[in-house]
Amino acid sequence: MEDNENKTQDGPEPAGRRGPPEHERRVQIIAAADEHFRRYGYDKTTVADIARSIGLSSAYIYKFFDSKQAVGEAVCRICLGRIQQELAAIAAEDTPAIDRIRRFYKSLGAQGVQLLFNERKLHDIVAAAIDGRWLVIKGHEKALLALIQQIVTDGRASGEFERKTPMDETCKAILQTMQPFLHPVMLEQNFDDIEENTGVVANLVLRSLAP
């Protein structure tokens, strides 16, 4: 049955090609899951729902993902990747490190609010991922840590930041101050003052970084 599904869902195949490459099928599954999660939410979506929407069996989905959580992590990774992209652009700017720190915090807060209001169902997936300590969250924090280190390194080289505190300690501490803007539930509870709060925290961190 799975072979028939593979042959009928994607139209005529080029000569010598029995079906779509695994990468293409995986992307198709993630896209279907993303659509379902956005519309119905993570908790109300089953692997069977995702499979049925693209004419596959649940068993076929499990060839690519070992659980619904694994599918959720793939969708969550794309969502968090967009946030990382914007933050990476800020970190790479040829501007004073002080300005980049402020913009980093502001962007975190703004993107969190956007996720809350415009992508509520994805907001809920990120919250579930954080509460469940999914691996994708550890990867996200690692990526943010690297971006923070990039800015701090530049700030130390330019004389904007002190150099006595060990780099790893400094960066981990900064990441900890970002938790209220990283965690969807914490952000939701304080979104009315999010712009002011990101600015206040950024200023406090910058004072601690001053030489």
Side-chain angles (χ1 to χ4, degrees):
M1 181 178 178
E2 290 164 4
D3 288 339
N4 289 335
E5 288 168 346
N6 202 22
K7 291 175 183 176
T8 58
Q9 293 302 314
D10 300 275
E13 298 292 342
R17 177 172 158 185
R18 298 178 58 190
E22 287 191 1
H23 174 72
E24 290 182 20
R25 181 62 89 189
R26 182 181 175 87
V27 169
Q28 183 187 27
I29 293 168
I30 293 172
D34 181 64
E35 182 178 346
H36 266 71
F37 292 159
R38 288 172 188 268
R39 183 175 300 179
Y40 306 109
Y42 175 75
D43 290 336
K44 293 184 178 180
T45 298
T46 66
V47 171
D49 293 331
I50 298 168
R52 190 162 45 246
S53 71
I54 48 179
L56 301 175
S57 67
S58 297
Y60 192 83
I61 300 291
Y62 286 122
K63 287 185 176 181
F64 297 86
F65 301 94
D66 58 14
S67 65
K68 188 180 88 167
Q69 178 179 318
V71 181
E73 291 216 35
V75 172
C76 191
R77 186 172 291 107
I78 293 172
C79 177
L80 295 177
R82 289 194 288 267
I83 295 175
Q84 291 170 22
Q85 239 180 347
E86 184 168 325
L87 296 176
I90 293 172
E93 288 177 356
D94 185 19
T95 57
I98 289 175
D99 293 342
R100 280 181 276 166
I101 287 286
R102 287 199 176 97
R103 291 195 58 212
F104 204 96
Y105 277 93
K106 184 177 180 180
S107 178
L108 265 184
Q111 290 186 83
V113 170
Q114 182 178 357
L115 196 63
L116 174 62
F117 285 101
N118 299 337
E119 300 287 356
R120 178 68 203 212
K121 295 296 190 295
L122 291 183
H123 165 278
D124 294 343
I125 297 175
V126 175
I130 291 175
D131 290 341
R133 295 303 297 168
W134 293 2
L135 288 176
V136 65
I137 297 302
K138 294 181 180 179
H140 183 55
E141 291 180 347
K142 184 177 180 181
L144 295 187
L145 201 60
L147 295 176
I148 293 168
Q149 182 170 335
Q150 180 179 346
I151 299 175
V152 173
T153 298
D154 289 348
R156 289 186 172 189
S158 65
E160 296 171 78
F161 300 154
E162 59 88 16
R163 304 180 184 183
K164 295 180 181 178
T165 310
M167 177 65 77
D168 60 339
E169 182 180 322
T170 297
C171 296
K172 287 179 181 178
I174 293 174
L175 182 61
Q176 286 303 307
T177 68
M178 294 178 176
Q179 293 307 314
F181 318 119
L182 287 171
H183 196 297
V185 175
M186 295 175 68
L187 186 143
E188 183 176 2
Q189 293 171 346
N190 299 281
F191 74 88
D192 286 336
D193 303 311
I194 193 67
E195 188 170 351
E196 178 184 354
N197 290 342
T198 53
V200 167
V201 174
N203 286 337
L204 179 65
V205 168
L206 287 171
R207 283 195 291 274
S208 73
L209 292 174

